[in-house]
Amino acid sequence: MRKLILAAGLVGSLSACGSSGLFDRERLDEFAVSRQAPLVIPPDFALVPPAPGAPSSATVDSGRAAMQAMFGGPAARSATEGAALDAAGRASAAPGIRSSAGDPNTPVVEMGGTTRDIIAAPEGDGEGARAATPQ
């Protein structure tokens, strides 16, 4: 009886080695590998040598060239937009104003306690907000 159980266990464990049959696994054929020809870049007869004094292609800013290709450069402003910028003081703006905006020595206008309270107020869901119209 023991030999029968041992033989059944041996057959059961060996059956896990194959998928459909005992020695019937699908494998890659390592002798079917063939070499492929290397890629060959055909000559481009449309290329011309660079003109004397022209900048080399290595000195061209690729980021700027990509932006120029995608967006086409700055668009002309309309008359209304130009008038609005002139009224806002486009010509009188200091060139380095953006770098000095966060400077602690930059003078700021005091807006008062109410503005400070609104900015410092915690964010809420708006459920407790009420609006009242003065009589």
Side-chain angles (χ1 to χ4, degrees):
M1 186 68 169
R2 276 186 158 166
K3 289 184 180 182
L4 183 61
I5 293 174
L6 183 64
L10 183 63
V11 168
S13 64
L14 284 178
S15 68
C17 293
S19 57
S20 61
L22 188 58
F23 299 108
D24 194 8
R25 291 184 20 196
E26 290 189 27
R27 298 185 188 105
L28 297 175
D29 186 8
E30 63 269 11
F31 298 107
V33 177
S34 64
R35 289 188 159 269
Q36 292 184 350
L39 294 177
V40 176
I41 299 174
D44 188 5
F45 296 110
L47 293 176
V48 294
S56 68
S57 61
T59 61
V60 175
D61 183 15
S62 61
R64 182 170 293 179
M67 293 299 281
Q68 179 71 21
M70 286 191 297
F71 301 112
R77 297 191 188 277
S78 66
T80 307
E81 187 178 4
L85 288 172
D86 289 337
R90 166 175 44 179
S92 63
I97 190 67
R98 292 178 188 227
S99 61
S100 64
D103 186 19
N105 297 328
T106 302
V108 294
V109 177
E110 179 62 40
M111 292 294 186
T114 305
T115 305
R116 187 173 36 252
D117 292 342
I118 290 171
I119 292 173
E123 184 177 340
D125 57 2
E127 191 170 317
R130 299 279 187 261
T133 308
Q135 298 289 340

